[in-house]
Amino acid sequence: MDRGGCQMSGGGGGGGGGNDAIDQHGMITLEDLESFSEEQLSDSGNGSLEEEGETMEAEDGSERLLRYWQEVARGHQVEVSPDMAEPIQQLSSDNQGRSQREHIPFTLLLRKEKCGEQLYEKRNYEKGHWACITMHEDTYEQSICYGFMKLMRYICQQNSLGDYLGMTLPIVTIVRTNENHSVISQDVTVAYYLPIEHQAQPPQPYDNEIVIEVWPAATVYTRAFSGPTNEVTIINQINTMAELLDSPAVCVNDSFIVAGYTNPAHSNRQNEIWFLERR
């Protein structure tokens, strides 16, 4: 999955999650983004938003959403600029009935369990078009935040169609590690799977940092985990997954995927770690 672009290649390929088995699973803005109501925003449990109730009363929906994002992003040392108000509002609105989130299709090949606990799944993902961008921020969370905001602009009209493209889940990030899985590279790729209706002719991005790539079909070993995604938790999840696999040598050893399904404001974010089977 070396990045000449950001496709998964060399030792594996693919990405995405969600078909028959996964309806849940974290990143800087995702599943709940499109379904936030005014009540949820004013009762987000953040405290700082509630305390300014009178000011919030005078604001319209887009301002509320922007301020909500700004509050969440500050926790990741990320600044959300005012020009993000429109993309945030678009992802949060009905968009002529197209607000339904599309899960990336896959075929479940195997589910490994022990004492009633699911350890991991083996899935197959078909070839598909992805929009991806590689970031080089100081921290992993900063990279995924800034990368996804760029992809949001692409999804919300900054594309050759000039139209809202639709949201798919999960949003995935490709992380690269050293040989013994103790350090994550600062090069982090954030990727968005094009909805089915745009797979044949992907709209081109205005942002030249975003690349449209065809990722080949891939076999993926995936394990769910909850909570924040940062350098420490990702390294821990990679090492845990390596111990659980019967034959870890069949997988790519220096590139992994974190798949995010839920909004980072959730106290119980849902994510997956993916290992790619060598081709």
Side-chain angles (χ1 to χ4, degrees):
M1 94 177 57
D2 293 304
R3 159 118 168 130
C6 51
Q7 66 180 4
M8 293 175 256
S9 59
N19 186 359
D20 58 334
I22 314 241
D23 222 0
Q24 38 171 359
H25 310 258
M27 252 207 71
I28 185 62
T29 63
L30 313 178
E31 189 168 49
D32 298 316
L33 177 64
E34 296 176 351
S35 58
F36 277 143
S37 66
E38 294 296 302
E39 290 77 14
Q40 284 173 300
L41 289 169
S42 60
D43 188 29
S44 63
N46 246 353
S48 56
L49 292 182
E50 277 187 350
E51 290 164 10
E52 301 178 36
E54 290 186 8
T55 303
M56 295 279 281
E57 289 289 329
E59 294 176 339
D60 63 22
S62 63
E63 290 172 327
R64 284 173 181 254
L65 284 164
L66 176 63
R67 292 184 63 248
Y68 173 82
W69 270 54
Q70 289 171 332
E71 289 287 336
V72 172
R74 286 189 190 104
H76 304 289
Q77 297 181 305
V78 169
E79 292 298 321
V80 178
S81 63
D83 70 352
M84 284 301 299
E86 185 175 352
I88 291 169
Q89 178 68 22
Q90 283 187 291
L91 280 186
S92 307
S93 65
D94 182 67
N95 282 293
Q96 290 76 51
R98 291 174 294 169
S99 64
Q100 184 68 33
R101 291 171 294 276
E102 180 180 313
H103 283 252
I104 304 167
F106 65 80
T107 301
L108 180 63
L109 303 177
L110 170 72
R111 180 177 289 123
K112 183 70 176 289
E113 297 182 347
K114 183 177 182 181
C115 301
E117 177 188 0
Q118 182 174 308
L119 301 180
Y120 62 84
E121 289 185 343
K122 181 179 180 181
R123 307 172 186 162
N124 183 72
Y125 288 89
E126 297 300 325
K127 180 175 75 171
H129 285 93
W130 293 72
C132 45
I133 183 169
T134 296
M135 306 299 292
H136 316 275
E137 302 297 328
D138 291 339
T139 69
Y140 170 83
E141 289 200 325
Q142 288 173 331
S143 287
I144 63 173
C145 291
Y146 286 122
F148 185 66
M149 283 192 284
K150 282 179 169 286
L151 289 176
M152 279 180 63
R153 293 185 178 98
Y154 165 68
I155 295 167
C156 298
Q157 296 189 350
Q158 290 192 17
N159 57 70
S160 56
L161 288 182
D163 197 7
Y164 173 72
L165 303 182
M167 189 63 195
T168 61
L169 292 175
I171 293 293
V172 305
T173 57
I174 301 173
V175 297
R176 299 146 180 98
T177 71
N178 58 352
E179 188 174 350
N180 61 359
H181 305 157
S182 61
V183 177
I184 289 179
S185 168
Q186 282 189 300
D187 294 345
V188 175
T189 298
V190 187
Y192 155 78
Y193 179 83
L194 272 295
I196 297 299
E197 67 176 301
H198 299 303
Q199 280 291 318
Q201 293 184 305
Q204 295 304 301
Y206 292 159
D207 187 337
N208 59 17
E209 292 186 89
I210 297 175
V211 180
I212 304 298
E213 301 233 350
V214 178
W215 288 3
T219 299
V220 174
Y221 296 82
T222 174
R223 174 177 168 82
F225 69 99
S226 60
T229 53
N230 54 46
E231 288 84 350
V232 173
T233 59
I234 292 170
I235 287 294
N236 287 342
Q237 291 300 324
I238 289 171
N239 289 324
T240 298
M241 182 67 154
E243 292 175 4
L244 291 173
L245 290 175
D246 296 325
S247 304
V250 304
C251 296
V252 178
N253 190 48
D254 60 356
S255 296
F256 307 90
I257 287 178
V258 180
Y261 293 79
T262 49
N263 187 281
H266 277 220
S267 58
N268 190 36
R269 265 192 274 176
Q270 298 301 310
N271 322 288
E272 292 174 339
I273 189 74
W274 292 3
F275 280 38
L276 305 173
E277 189 170 270
R278 297 181 187 276
R279 291 160 57 82

